[in-house]
Amino acid sequence: MLVVSAKLPFIAGIRAFEDEVPSSSRDLAAWKKSLADWGVALNEGGQLSRGTADIGNWMLLDTAAAEDALISCRHDCPWVGPRLGALAFDVFSWSDQIDRHELFCGLLKVGRDGFVHIPSRQAFPAITRQDRSLSWCVGKAALDDGAELLTRNLGPYMSSVFAALQEALGPDGDEDAITWSPTCHNPLRWRADALPADVLRDRTVSLWLYDFSVLDPLIDLPDLQGR
């Protein structure tokens, strides 16, 4: 890892997740396709680009090297699969602020793992268990329009979210009060004729969610600006 740390200071983990990034996909094709949706491409010759702009350099690490590089980055989310590899990269100081933000946000969401900044030895987990008000988890605009959810698709993770929300409703809540709507927004909705009483809206729930609070510290690391 010394060669990687000397040239490529950032490591972004890549984990399997349900059928979106299958654990059998060792060539990381599904991950690369999802990353392309953020406008990020891993070009031949080790050039990292977003759109038409080259913004850095990259190399892929296999599972063993990724485990070694990311040993300090753990989130223990039970709904995320094994680590499949990692992306080692740097970012040019002249790259656009929006491009940098989309790069890190895309890697956070698609990788569902986290980052390590080798020079400073800082770790930034992509997912954390967070306590939220029940009223801020259900509804079209809740959970940052659904962006904080690890997926908007039905599956084991979403089933765990439903279970946590129903537990938060408690015995005096309607177990069918929360429904799922296929959408690009937050799919968790109150059933129109079964909105909970105000006392239920004051309850909290603990969910595994993306932690976007790590993005600004990552983007503002000194070597990003000084390279």
Side-chain angles (χ1 to χ4, degrees):
M1 290 305 300
L2 292 177
V3 174
V4 174
S5 66
K7 297 182 178 180
L8 302 172
F10 294 96
I11 308 293
I14 305 164
R15 286 189 179 270
F17 182 76
E18 298 185 4
D19 60 353
E20 297 180 32
V21 182
S23 58
S24 60
S25 180
R26 294 294 174 178
D27 60 354
L28 302 179
W31 171 78
K32 291 177 182 178
K33 184 177 183 299
S34 296
L35 196 58
D37 292 339
W38 289 81
V40 177
L42 308 179
N43 300 316
E44 293 184 9
Q47 290 183 320
L48 179 67
S49 66
R50 183 171 184 275
T52 60
D54 290 335
I55 60 174
N57 302 287
W58 67 274
M59 67 177 291
L60 281 176
L61 307 182
D62 62 19
T63 301
E67 291 287 357
D68 182 45
L70 292 158
I71 192 170
S72 63
C73 186
R74 305 180 65 88
H75 54 59
D76 298 321
C77 176
W79 308 111
V80 176
R83 188 171 279 147
L84 304 180
L87 183 75
F89 66 101
D90 65 3
V91 183
F92 298 145
S93 61
W94 59 83
S95 61
D96 184 83
Q97 180 76 10
I98 294 177
D99 287 338
R100 291 199 295 270
H101 181 275
E102 293 299 284
L103 168 65
F104 279 97
C105 192
L107 289 170
L108 180 147
K109 294 203 70 173
V110 176
R112 295 183 177 89
D113 193 345
F115 302 83
V116 164
H117 180 241
I118 294 178
S120 65
R121 298 184 180 180
Q122 294 183 74
F124 303 85
I127 298 167
T128 55
R129 193 177 181 98
Q130 303 172 39
D131 292 333
R132 297 296 182 86
S133 168
L134 184 60
S135 63
W136 288 102
C137 293
V138 184
K140 178 179 178 180
L143 296 173
D144 193 9
D145 227 25
E148 292 177 303
L149 293 167
L150 305 190
T151 183
R152 292 181 173 92
N153 299 325
L154 287 175
Y157 167 75
M158 192 58 75
S159 295
S160 76
V161 171
F162 267 104
L165 294 174
Q166 289 170 350
E167 183 178 355
L169 281 171
D172 48 351
D174 181 349
E175 65 178 13
D176 297 320
I178 300 173
T179 64
W180 180 86
S181 174
T183 175
C184 60
H185 302 283
N186 183 11
L188 301 166
R189 307 295 177 87
W190 297 116
R191 198 179 73 231
D193 60 346
L195 293 177
D198 288 341
V199 65
L200 295 180
R201 287 181 175 273
D202 293 333
R203 296 184 179 180
T204 59
V205 60
S206 181
L207 300 174
W208 287 99
L209 302 169
Y210 286 120
D211 193 341
F212 295 128
S213 69
V214 305
L215 291 177
D216 285 343
L218 271 166
I219 294 171
D220 290 339
L221 282 168
D223 69 296
L224 257 182
Q225 308 300 326
R227 291 182 67 84

